């Protein structure tokens, strides 16, 4: 028992030292025990970079208003993150001066507040000055009108340009030496279009799989479809910028 305690203590001290040095740590103990963390391949995180096209999240109340009494979201396609999906339903998003996006996909499950996530070109098209915000941070943001087959909803706020972020579980976070709320850097190398993205927010959760979300404008800027290499690393200190 004494040996087991000492070894556990040593492993903890080593992990802390590596984390403080900023060097990516080796696979956590959970991987070496034969049970790989969620989303890992061959004993290490499997990085996925996805383009998050314009979409909206709805409350249960707004689903019923837009699609009819008793309506619920109907899953059409599962997303990479378990439990999340693209619904069969779409809505029209209407901005000032009757500018509109006719078919914006609804993502499920429902949320406590409705929210529309756009890229910069989408917001320009609608005539809405949408600020860059992290999901759920909608206080003081512009609103819009949502139109469905059964009714319409006036959102007083909730239109944002979603800030880039990375979903990861706690084993991923340990591997990269980061914690929930930290910032990381994503480098994408593609022919004549290589780009490094700063300010990638870490959103750590025990059930998440390693996935970076960028919007359509960012995906086009780096020609993500033709990328030859992607790298995610912890951001340096402020003195390096």
């Amino acid at each position: 028992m004494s040996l087991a305690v000492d070894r556990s203590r040593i492993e903890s001290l080593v992990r802390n030292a590596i984390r403080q040095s900023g060097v990516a740590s080796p696979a956590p103990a959970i991987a070496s025990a034969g049970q790989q963390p969620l989303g890992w391949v061959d004993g290490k995180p499997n990085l996925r970079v996805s383009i998050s096209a314009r979409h909206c999240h709805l409350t249960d109340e707004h689903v019923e208003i837009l699609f009819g009494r008793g309506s619920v979201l109907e899953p059409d396609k599962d997303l990479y993150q378990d439990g999340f999906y693209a619904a069969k339903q779409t809505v029209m998003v209407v901005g000032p001066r009757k500018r509109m996006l006719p078919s914006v996909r609804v993502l499920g499950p429902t949320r406590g507040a409705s929210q529309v996530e756009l890229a910069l070109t989408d917001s320009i098209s609608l005539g809405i000055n949408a600020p860059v915000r992290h999901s759920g941070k909608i206080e003081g943001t512009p609103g819009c009108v949502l139109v469905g087959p059964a009714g319409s909803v006036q959102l007083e706020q909730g239109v944002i340009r979603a800030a880039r972020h990375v979903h990861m579980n706690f084993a991923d976070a340990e591997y990269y030496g980061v914690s929930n709320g930290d910032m990381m850097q994503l480098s994408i190398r593609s022919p004549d279009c290589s780009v490094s993205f700063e300010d990638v927010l870490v959103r750590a959760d025990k059930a998440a799989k390693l996935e970076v979300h960028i919007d359509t404008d960012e995906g086009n800027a780096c020609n993500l479809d033709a990328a030859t290499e992607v790298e995610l690393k912890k951001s340096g200190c402020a003195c390096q910028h």
Side-chain angles (χ1 to χ4, degrees):
M1 177 63 70
S2 176
L3 178 61
V5 172
D6 290 344
R7 180 170 180 174
S8 175
R9 175 62 175 165
I10 290 171
E11 289 178 350
S12 176
L13 290 171
V14 170
R15 283 197 296 271
N16 288 336
I18 292 174
R19 185 180 299 112
Q20 291 172 8
S21 71
V23 178
S25 64
I30 188 172
S32 62
Q35 181 184 359
Q36 289 199 124
L38 192 62
W40 283 36
V41 175
D42 296 330
K44 62 181 181 180
N46 180 36
L47 176 60
R48 180 186 182 110
V49 180
S50 299
I51 293 176
S52 182
R54 59 182 180 240
H55 62 272
C56 71
H57 302 278
L58 299 174
T59 64
D60 290 326
E61 177 188 5
H62 288 168
V63 169
E64 290 205 47
I65 293 173
L66 293 166
F67 302 104
R69 185 184 295 265
S71 292
V72 296
L73 293 182
E74 302 175 51
D76 182 51
K77 180 181 179 181
D78 289 334
L79 302 180
Y80 184 60
Q81 298 299 325
D82 294 338
F84 295 86
Y85 57 88
K88 293 180 180 179
Q89 292 98 323
T90 63
V91 296
M92 178 185 294
V93 179
V94 183
R97 298 183 297 279
K98 301 298 187 282
R99 296 182 184 180
M100 62 190 69
L101 295 171
S103 298
V104 176
R105 184 69 54 185
V106 179
L107 300 189
T110 54
R111 291 193 177 185
S114 292
Q115 173 180 301
V116 179
E117 298 185 24
L118 307 172
L120 175 60
T121 49
D122 297 323
S123 62
I124 292 173
S125 177
L126 279 175
I128 296 176
N129 185 21
V132 177
R133 292 285 186 89
H134 293 291
S135 184
K137 306 296 184 181
I138 62 173
E139 295 79 8
T141 59
C144 67
V145 175
L146 302 180
V147 180
S152 63
V153 172
Q154 171 74 57
L155 294 185
E156 299 301 327
Q157 61 182 11
V159 181
I160 66 170
R161 291 166 52 196
R164 61 187 76 104
H165 56 275
V166 54
H167 295 279
M168 62 173 62
N169 56 51
F170 299 134
D172 297 323
E174 183 179 345
Y175 180 90
Y176 284 105
V178 296
S179 301
N180 186 58
D182 286 350
M183 292 294 179
M184 302 189 74
Q185 179 192 78
L186 174 70
S187 296
I188 299 177
R189 296 176 180 85
S190 57
D192 300 316
C193 281
S194 297
V195 175
S196 289
F197 293 108
E198 299 285 349
D199 304 320
V200 181
L201 177 72
V202 173
R203 297 174 62 178
D205 181 88
K206 64 179 181 180
K209 291 181 283 191
L210 185 62
E211 181 184 27
V212 176
H213 282 171
I214 57 178
D215 68 25
T216 50
D217 290 344
E218 293 166 331
N220 289 334
C222 66
N223 195 10
L224 183 62
D225 288 342
T228 57
E229 184 179 354
V230 293
E231 180 185 17
L232 182 67
K233 62 183 180 181
K234 186 176 181 177
S235 292
C237 66
C239 61
Q240 294 177 324
H241 299 284

